[in-house]
């Protein structure tokens, strides 16, 4: 039974009110699925994620969580809505230790914090040895693991992640994407932005393609993997709904 | 020379307390707050008012503690003054700085702080008068630590240093052991990431103002205790406190702590070679030196 | 009648001199987004520089080189420019707060130096021995003041034209580009730090001109003339008039100077004897309120910055 965890309907969003980056974009995330958003540079992929968490103003359109329409989300309240967000870069606090990063993420978890921390360390053994080290001293791959650990610490329903494999060696990138895939077994839904199209499409269930701030094509990831239309959009070929 | 060293440390403690609040505000809100030093003035005068009230209403508290000139009433007054000064800092932000931030005029906050400093400083002068005041009318004798070379110190100064050090230990503890401390550091490092990790930016900013105000109140009272209370406290301290933040590196609380002592020491040691009339210019020379040698200060980081 | 006319000439002269300084600040803040917290230091460098170079030798202090007046004036402007260059080199690559604090510090140090260094500027007694140019031929009275006013207004007009040309020139475009988006400007191969330095020094030289004229007008300058008060006044003038707009700068100068002198007169006339000591404080509160209220209510000033269509090049 797949309910729709997150739905974005026709949103228009942008940093400056008269210059929208997203023009009527809609996506849907089904529970327990891995969804990936791809598209050429400047398509508005990161902006979409940021708009959902309230970091970019939305001027029109609606966002639904589990069927309920929600008002503008305040970034610091996303955990209450069951959302977690991992930015592309600078997604951990370099000047704090690994432990302090995790404790910070667990700040609002109240009495469960200690329990949750041990659970996270079990899930991410790589971080156990590094607890006292400053997060900035970790390798790229380790930092991404820490970022994901912080994201799942609040038991979210959906994790939004911006280019998880960016700057990582292929093996580490694969590791992160597989980790996200595994998370869905506990019911968490994933929405990713990715540049690494092939790797992402192999691990995803569903895929949306954005270009120039609009929806282009969407479909099952496995189907799109071999569909030439993906390449066309990236190379600036066929486009739907573009400006005349 | 030892006297200068001693005086420098004692003044440095006051500057450190003032600089901590300033460095946090400068780092998180990204503007040089020329009105921060006026909070020390507000603190000193607020404590004066409460002190007079308590001396009258609670005469038992008017007795001095040991051989200090500090009375229990003054201690209580400091606590009340911290509340008032912290509230004032939040009020100034709500009334002025936040509105300017929301209008997108970030750079204008510096001017506004100039204007606010003028208003606060001169209002204090209008309300309390331009003459100097003291917390106690009794003559405070200095203790002679050594006769040759002559080294004297007022016990009050020692007490203020002691309390300052305790406060600093407390601050260190909060910053390095509590999630609240982590959240302050997180906001300083990356406000957006801090928010998506559940930290309420507005609330944190308010807390930063409150902490800055409270520390400024303590610093102001100590300054008034070891010097005198007059409306120009803010004007006299604005450059030294800025120098302390620059020496320590903007955004670093530990830097501000050290910076205050460094500026205090340097200012007093400079009196060995420079005529005393030049002492107001010494903080500027210190800033110049920092810019030449190590522009980001001791612990500062480049943050664009 | 002559009395009122005399006063108007006096008022206009000072207001025009200050307007020149405000134009200098407009170049720094309005066009380039640089915060100069120590305007009075550059103003003062111009004043002291001009008087030292053009004055007669005095027993207590150096200088008194009796240079030809225009050279003395240029010397004063150069002093201001040099000071700006030193401060700018050190701070302009840092975050903008550093410039604010450093310039503020320069002003404090400058006043402090002039107050203490008797050998340099006469100390607290001030700098004497300067003869206003053409004094022998024009005398000391109404005629002289009128001629001097003409000269000052002439300088003001020249400065104004200079600024207007600058603003619509490619350099002006560059300044605005750097102010708005430094990274974009950098990607075009321009060095923002150097350009800012140029703007900062130029603006300070203009302030030095104002200072030189000011010192010439009074034939005297003392540490009392280089207090932070002047910085606040000039800031208020720019904020009220309109940052980024040269007409606004001049307008603001006249408005604020009128308000300042009027409030000073009104307070000394109508305030009770006991309150006379506090008239300064009241004026400071007023100017602080003017600054804060303008920033909250109409930050662009009375005459906002106009979108300039550059003279050369398209789009």
């Amino acid at each position: 039974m797949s309910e729709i965890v997150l739905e974005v309907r026709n949103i228009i969003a942008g940093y400056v009110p008269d210059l929208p980056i997203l023009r009527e974009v809609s996506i849907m995330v089904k529970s327990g699925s891995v969804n990936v958003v791809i598209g050429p540079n400047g398509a508005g992929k990161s902006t979409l994620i940021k708009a959902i968490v309230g970091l970019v103003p939305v001027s029109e359109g609606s966002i639904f969580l589990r069927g309920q329409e929600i008002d503008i989300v305040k970034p610091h309240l996303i955990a209450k809505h069951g959302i977690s967000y991992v930015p592309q870069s600078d997604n951990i606090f370099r000047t704090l230790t690994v432990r302090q990063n995790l404790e910070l993420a667990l700040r609002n978890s109240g009495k469960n914090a200690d329990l949750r921390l041990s659970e996270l360390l079990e899930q991410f053994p790589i971080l156990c040895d590094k607890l006292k080290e400053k997060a900035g001293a970790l390798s790229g791959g380790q930092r991404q693991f820490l970022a994901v650990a912080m994201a799942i610490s609040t038991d979210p329903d959906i994790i939004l992640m911006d280019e998880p494999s960016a700057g990582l060696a292929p093996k580490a990138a694969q590791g992160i994407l597989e980790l996200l895939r595994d998370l869905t077994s506990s019911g968490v839904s994933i929405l990713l932005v990715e540049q690494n199209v092939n790797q992402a499409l192999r691990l995803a269930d569903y895929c949306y393609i954005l270009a120039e701030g609009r929806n282009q094509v969407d479909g099952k990831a496995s189907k799109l993997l071999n569909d030439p239309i993906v390449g066309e959009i990236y190379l600036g070929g066929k486009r739907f709904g573009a400006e005349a | 020379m030892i006297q200068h060293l001693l005086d420098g440390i004692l003044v440095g403690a006051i500057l450190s307390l003032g600089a901590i609040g300033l460095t946090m505000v400068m780092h998180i809100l990204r503007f040089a707050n020329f009105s921060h030093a006026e909070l020390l003035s507000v603190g000193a005068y607020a404590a004066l008012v409460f002190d007079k009230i308590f001396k009258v209403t609670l005469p038992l508290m008017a007795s001095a503690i040991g051989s200090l000139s500090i009375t229990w009433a003054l201690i209580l007054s400091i606590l009340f003054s911290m509340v008032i000064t912290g509230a004032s800092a939040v009020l100034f932000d709500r009334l002025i700085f936040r509105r300017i931030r929301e209008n997108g005029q970030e750079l204008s906050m510096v001017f506004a702080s100039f204007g606010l400093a003028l208003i606060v400083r001169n209002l204090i002068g209008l309300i309390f008068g331009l003459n100097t005041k003291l917390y106690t009318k009794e003559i405070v004798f200095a203790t002679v630590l050594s006769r040759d070379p002559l080294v004297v110190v007022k016990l009050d100064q020692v007490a203020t240093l002691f309390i300052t050090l305790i406060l600093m230990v407390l601050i260190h503890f909060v910053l390095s052991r509590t999630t609240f401390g982590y959240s302050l550091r997180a906001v300083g490092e990356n406000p957006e990431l801090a928010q998506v990790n559940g930290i309420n930016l507005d609330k944190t900013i308010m807390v930063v103002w409150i902490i800055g105000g409270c520390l400024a109140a303590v610093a102001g009272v100590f300054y008034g205790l070891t010097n005198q209370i007059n409306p120009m406290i803010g004007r006299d301290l604005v450059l030294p406190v800025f120098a302390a933040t620059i020496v320590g590196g903007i955004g670093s609380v530990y830097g501000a702590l050290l910076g205050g002592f460094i500026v205090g020491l340097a200012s007093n040691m400079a009196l060995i070679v420079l005529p005393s009339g030049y002492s107001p210019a010494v903080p500027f020379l210190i800033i110049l030196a920092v810019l030449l040698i190590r522009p980001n200060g001791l612990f500062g980081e480049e943050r664009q | 009648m002559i009395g009122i006319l005399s006063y108007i000439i006096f008022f206009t002269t000072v207001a025009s001199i200050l307007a020149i300084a405000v134009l200098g600040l407009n170049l720094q803040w309005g066009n380039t987004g640089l915060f100069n917290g120590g305007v009075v230091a550059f103003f003062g460098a111009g004043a002291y520089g001009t008087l030292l170079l053009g004055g007669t030798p005095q027993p207590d202090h150096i200088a008194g080189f009796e240079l030809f007046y225009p050279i003395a004036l240029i010397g004063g402007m150069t002093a201001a420019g040099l000071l700006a260059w030193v401060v700018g080199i050190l701070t302009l690559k840092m975050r903008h707060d550093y410039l604010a604090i450093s310039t503020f510090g320069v002003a404090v140090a400058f006043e402090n130096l002039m107050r203490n260094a008797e050998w340099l500027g006469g100390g607290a007694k001030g700098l004497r021995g300067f003869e206003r140019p053409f004094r022998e031929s024009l005398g000391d009275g109404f005629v002289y003041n009128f001629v001097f006013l003409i000269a000052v207004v002439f300088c003001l007009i020249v400065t104004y034209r200079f600024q207007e040309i600058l603003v619509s020139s490619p350099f002006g475009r560059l300044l605005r580009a750097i102010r708005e988006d430094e990274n974009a400007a950098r990607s075009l191969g321009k060095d923002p730090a150097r350009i800012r330095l140029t703007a900062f020094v130029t603006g300070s030289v203009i302030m030095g001109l104002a200072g030189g004229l000011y010192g010439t007008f009074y034939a005297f300058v003392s540490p009392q003339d280089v207090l932070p008060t002047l910085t606040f006044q000039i800031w208020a003038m720019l904020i009220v008039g309109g940052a980024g707009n040269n007409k606004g700068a001049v307008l603001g100068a006249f408005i604020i100077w009128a308000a300042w002198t009027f409030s000073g007169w009104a307070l000394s006339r109508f305030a009770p004897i006991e309150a006379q000591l506090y008239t300064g404080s009241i004026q400071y509160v007023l100017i602080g309120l003017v600054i804060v209220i303008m920033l909250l209510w109409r930050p662009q000033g009375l005459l906002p910055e106009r979108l300039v269509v550059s003279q050369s090049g398209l789009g």
Side-chain angles (χ1 to χ4, degrees), chain C residues 45-65:
Chain C
Y48 271 93
T50 305
L51 261 53
L52 279 171
L53 289 172
T56 55
Q58 298 286 302
D60 323 352
H61 54 81
I62 64 169
F65 294 110

Side-chain angles (χ1 to χ4, degrees), chain A residues 55 75-76 78 85 87 90-96 100 103-104 108 150, chain B residues 176 179 182-183 185-186 189-190 192-200 301:
Chain A
L55 287 172
H76 70 273
I78 56 174
Y85 166 56
D90 295 325
N91 47 22
I92 44 93
F93 296 106
R94 289 164 188 262
T95 57
L96 298 176
Q100 289 169 340
E103 285 181 354
L104 188 58
N108 296 322
M150 286 166 72
Chain B
S176 60
T179 51
Y182 307 155
S183 70
R185 291 162 62 188
E189 183 186 325
N190 190 336
E192 254 192 22
L193 185 65
Q195 285 186 80
V196 298
N197 273 291
I199 297 172
N200 184 331
E301 292 169 4

Side-chain angles (χ1 to χ4, degrees), chain C residues 43-307:
Chain C
F43 185 87
Y48 271 93
T50 305
L51 261 53
L52 279 171
L53 289 172
T56 55
Q58 298 286 302
D60 323 352
H61 54 81
I62 64 169
F65 294 110
E66 290 184 295
L67 291 179
F68 183 47
Y69 178 70
I71 307 231
L73 189 60
I74 291 177
M77 290 162 70
T78 311
L82 268 169
L83 188 62
W85 188 81
V86 169
V87 173
I89 281 271
L90 290 173
T91 54
L92 284 172
K93 35 182 169 60
M94 312 289 295
R95 44 185 280 179
H96 58 89
D97 310 24
Y98 278 78
L99 183 68
I101 298 169
S102 307
T103 45
F104 180 77
V106 162
V108 169
F110 185 84
E111 190 255 335
N112 192 245
L113 181 67
M114 288 312 168
R115 193 174 286 277
N116 286 285
E118 291 209 7
W119 54 273
L120 182 59
K125 298 194 306 275
L127 199 56
R128 291 169 199 285
F130 181 81
E131 294 261 329
R132 293 154 92 182
F134 299 116
R135 195 162 163 230
E136 306 90 42
S137 33
L138 291 171
D140 252 338
F142 181 84
V143 174
Y144 186 90
N145 290 333
F146 186 69
V147 171
F148 191 79
L149 171 63
I150 305 279
V152 165
V153 171
F154 174 73
C155 287
L156 176 60
I157 292 175
V158 166
T159 309
Y160 176 82
R161 286 301 306 152
F162 172 75
Q163 293 258 136
E164 287 284 286
I165 293 172
L166 198 68
V167 158
S168 36
S169 74
F171 185 71
R173 259 185 312 184
L174 209 46
L175 290 179
R176 277 191 298 287
I178 288 171
R179 189 188 66 188
E180 303 300 337
D181 189 342
E182 179 172 325
N183 290 322
R186 211 192 296 267
S187 65
L188 289 170
K190 310 291 179 183
D191 180 1
R194 259 209 19 217
I195 293 169
R196 279 202 218 113
L197 184 64
T198 310
F200 185 67
V201 170
T202 309
S204 299
V205 165
I206 295 176
M207 290 174 188
L209 170 64
L213 290 171
Y214 183 88
T216 309
F217 180 60
Y218 288 103
F220 174 73
V221 71
S222 80
Q224 287 303 108
D225 296 310
V226 290
L227 294 173
T229 318
L230 190 59
T231 303
F232 302 140
Q233 288 169 324
I234 295 182
W235 270 114
M237 291 170 183
L238 186 61
I239 291 173
V240 164
N245 186 312
N246 291 315
K247 282 203 189 69
V250 177
L251 179 67
F254 277 84
I255 292 180
I256 291 294
W257 189 242
W260 184 267
T261 46
F262 176 74
S263 62
W265 171 83
L267 283 168
S268 61
R269 176 93 164 66
F270 297 113
I273 302 283
E274 312 86 50
Q276 285 299 321
L277 200 60
Y278 294 96
T279 55
S281 300
I282 296 177
Q283 281 187 299
Y284 286 127
V285 172
L286 287 174
I287 212 173
L289 281 171
V290 164
I291 292 175
V292 171
I293 290 175
M294 275 309 281
L295 286 172
L296 285 175
W297 164 64
R298 204 182 154 89
Q300 66 273 36
L302 290 173
L303 296 178
E305 183 174 3
R306 299 160 301 148
L307 279 166

